[in-house]
Amino acid sequence: MKPLKTLNTSDYFEKDKEAISSHYDLPFEFFAKFLGPRMAYSCAYFADENNSLEVAEANKLELLARKLLISPEDKVLDIGCGWGSFMFYAVEKCDCSVTGITLAQEQIAVIRETAKARGFSTNMHAGLMHAYDLAFENQTFDKVVTVGAIEHMEDLDRVFSETYRVLKDDGLFLVHGMTQPWFARKVTLDGTKTEVSQLLDEHFGIGHLKSLWEVMASLEKAGFEILDHENISQHYKLTVEAWLENLQKNEQQIVDRIIPEEKYREFIAFMAAYILGFEGSGTLCNQILCKKIFKDEIRMPAPLTREHMSLGDSNG
Amino acid sequence: MDDELNAKLIFDKLLPEYLVKDKAIAKKINAPMAIDLEGKEGGQWWADFSSDNPVVSRGFNKEAKCTICMNAKDFNYLISQQKIRPWLEAFKSKRITVKGHLPTALKLRAIVQAHEKQAQNPN
């Protein structure tokens, strides 16, 4: 797997890298104790509430691939790729080429090691890169996906403009991420940092939960047409419940040899708080599918219904 | 906030009053919960917040979705704090432990908030 060019000349790169790393560079083994086998640290998709985490995790990845209509010829960019769950899924199931970027060095090491072990040497690339400055030529990618990363991005206008630039004219862009309802967001915009926001920032390294309309406005301003939106908040509640169950099941091993007990207890407290957030409407999760609007465009044929996005046959 | 605030005052007197005044408190918690406070000023309480007429009683012979265990002195101090951070620090250092469903235990916050609300607007 070829290394990507790294852009690290800016203040925000170092600041955000440090913040992101404070959370995501915890030992891989710790995350492996509670995430599903594909190591997707984002909302899974429960086609049936009895789905296991493993099935729901695969459902989510399949849903992303279906929404993006990924084909073997596609070059795909994954912004905030985590430990590469979507990258590996897309390469294996869709036989496409995938590039992933993240600000967590530990994640890149894991992806490279796994890719090498699984023989993905030519069609998978991972690198340390900030989403504000995508080091790619214009119109490089057919599809772009970002999963569970916009929560860490302050300037979505800039991220989406960069995405627009590197996406081919007929390309699709899928944004999967958390938002907060407007009444809560307005408090932050009015200049008040709530104690909950402060605690979340400290725990997750950095947090910029926008409202849904702000995310959509940034997409439209960047030049995207929104094709589809799905609120997947209740899927996230089920996901975090499964993570918390795994954490508590593996407590002894975790505190004995992976992370300090205080850190473990902080994690389970935040997991529990997120479950309550999703149980009400305090925290929301969305998938937004977009296409690039471009000059002299003639709309390409596209599915007329949402049927291709259905996972009715994925009950595990 | 009331300097004399303590677990016995909260669970024996104030909370039963708050639950009658404001039905939303029980609705927020919506589960049976037990509190086990150690120490001289401690005690055990049980309440079924999922009931239409929630009652707080001494002891916990019935099943609870979660049991919150801590020292009564800690509880008395924390209940007078209007911040979440001291509760989180107490939980991290195991001065608060929870048996059962952890997310439900976090709903203890609804009781703290109910008291803050009543203290600000007694009528």
Side-chain angles (χ1 to χ4, degrees):
Chain A
M1 195 167 68
K2 289 180 199 163
L4 291 171
K5 179 186 170 191
T6 299
L7 255 176
N8 59 358
T9 53
S10 56
D11 290 344
Y12 54 79
F13 182 95
E14 285 306 324
K15 184 171 97 19
D16 289 354
K17 180 173 171 289
E18 191 181 328
I20 295 289
S21 293
S22 71
H23 185 82
Y24 294 93
D25 279 353
L26 286 169
F28 177 74
E29 196 186 0
F30 167 62
F31 291 99
K33 286 290 178 200
F34 69 93
L35 299 179
R38 295 176 185 272
M39 295 295 292
Y41 194 21
S42 55
C43 175
Y45 197 91
F46 291 77
D48 181 299
E49 65 179 3
N50 296 317
N51 280 166
S52 65
L53 179 60
E54 182 175 359
V55 169
E57 205 178 44
N59 284 345
K60 188 271 292 291
L61 299 171
E62 174 62 20
L63 191 65
L64 295 173
R66 287 192 191 188
K67 286 187 176 182
L68 283 165
L69 301 168
I70 292 180
S71 65
E73 298 78 31
D74 283 342
K75 284 180 75 177
V76 180
L77 172 65
D78 185 347
I79 299 175
C81 60
W83 293 280
S85 60
F86 181 71
M87 295 171 70
F88 287 107
Y89 190 87
V91 167
E92 280 177 315
K93 300 281 181 177
C94 309
D95 198 23
C96 58
S97 158
V98 185
T99 299
I101 62 166
T102 171
L103 287 177
Q105 189 69 54
E106 179 76 14
Q107 293 183 329
I108 295 170
V110 169
I111 293 170
R112 287 181 179 163
E113 201 175 300
T114 311
K116 192 177 169 189
R118 289 161 71 171
F120 300 132
S121 55
T122 55
N123 49 359
M124 190 181 257
H125 312 276
L128 199 66
M129 194 184 295
H130 201 294
Y132 288 178
D133 300 293
L134 299 177
F136 304 107
E137 298 293 322
N138 293 350
Q139 304 207 38
T140 300
F141 298 100
D142 301 282
K143 310 284 162 64
V144 180
V145 65
T146 182
V147 181
I150 59 166
E151 297 86 336
H152 301 300
M153 299 170 181
E154 186 171 11
D155 188 350
L156 288 186
D157 287 355
R158 182 164 175 175
V159 175
F160 295 161
S161 291
E162 274 292 89
T163 307
Y164 183 93
R165 182 182 64 75
V166 301
L167 194 58
K168 290 181 185 171
D169 280 349
D170 294 329
L172 293 175
F173 178 30
L174 198 150
V175 178
H176 168 130
M178 285 194 281
T179 57
Q180 59 180 335
W182 174 241
F183 73 85
R185 172 64 173 154
K186 196 172 177 303
V187 173
T188 311
L189 290 175
D190 288 345
T192 309
K193 186 102 179 171
T194 63
E195 191 189 14
V196 171
S197 300
Q198 182 63 39
L199 290 169
L200 287 171
D201 277 4
E202 288 171 23
H203 178 71
F204 287 104
I206 192 168
H208 298 289
L209 281 193
K210 312 276 196 303
S211 70
L212 177 60
W213 75 261
E214 286 177 287
V215 178
M216 288 186 163
S218 290
L219 285 165
E220 289 203 326
K221 278 191 275 180
F224 290 103
E225 173 186 331
I226 293 166
L227 299 175
D228 187 77
H229 166 254
E230 184 172 2
N231 182 328
I232 55 170
S233 304
Q234 60 175 333
H235 294 268
Y236 219 157
K237 176 178 175 277
L238 294 169
T239 306
V240 186
E241 281 175 344
W243 290 347
L244 178 60
E245 194 182 325
N246 288 342
L247 276 166
Q248 292 181 307
K249 197 171 65 190
N250 294 316
E251 174 179 353
Q252 209 54 53
Q253 291 176 51
I254 292 169
V255 302
D256 279 353
R257 59 182 178 85
I258 306 177
I259 59 169
E261 187 168 26
E262 279 216 350
K263 193 73 186 168
Y264 163 80
R265 292 182 68 79
E266 179 185 314
F267 252 85
I268 61 171
F270 276 91
M271 292 286 177
Y274 261 109
I275 290 167
L276 298 187
F278 288 118
E279 190 176 277
S281 292
T283 315
L284 311 169
C285 194
N286 310 275
Q287 286 188 345
I288 308 166
L289 178 67
C290 313
K291 68 179 268 300
K292 185 172 174 174
I293 300 171
F294 57 97
K295 195 171 180 289
D296 301 326
E297 173 184 353
I298 295 174
R299 187 179 287 275
M300 294 292 286
L304 292 171
T305 70
R306 299 185 81 257
E307 207 169 334
H308 65 292
M309 300 180 193
S310 165
L311 288 175
D313 56 347
S314 300
N315 289 338
Chain B
M1 298 294 284
D2 190 342
D3 288 337
E4 301 297 317
L5 195 61
N6 60 61
K8 287 176 184 171
L9 181 62
I10 285 279
F11 293 114
D12 289 338
K13 182 174 183 295
L14 298 178
L15 181 58
E17 289 173 8
Y18 298 161
L19 290 170
V20 173
K21 277 187 191 171
D22 186 355
K23 299 282 182 200
I25 301 166
K27 208 175 163 190
K28 267 188 200 169
I29 303 174
N30 196 28
M33 181 190 279
I35 313 281
D36 187 3
L37 303 180
E38 285 181 343
K40 205 170 68 180
E41 300 165 63
Q44 297 172 335
W45 288 269
W46 180 90
D48 185 0
F49 296 102
S50 63
S51 156
D52 287 341
N53 295 299
V55 175
V56 185
S57 56
R58 284 268 185 167
F60 46 82
N61 298 324
K62 297 174 192 167
E63 275 194 19
K65 194 164 181 185
C66 72
T67 302
I68 300 169
C69 311
M70 60 195 295
N71 188 284
K73 270 190 177 175
D74 272 340
F75 181 87
N76 294 345
Y77 167 73
L78 290 170
I79 197 81
S80 66
Q81 304 295 302
Q82 295 184 24
K83 297 279 184 188
I84 300 168
R85 190 184 298 274
W87 290 90
L88 176 64
E89 293 304 325
F91 179 78
K92 281 165 65 178
S93 61
K94 289 183 93 170
R95 285 184 291 125
I96 300 175
T97 58
V98 174
K99 294 172 194 161
H101 193 244
L102 183 58
T104 298
L106 265 57
K107 293 182 178 180
L108 183 68
R109 178 85 187 137
I111 297 172
V112 178
Q113 283 174 327
H115 176 70
E116 286 168 3
K117 190 176 158 189
Q118 288 296 327
Q120 283 162 10
N121 302 297
N123 300 317

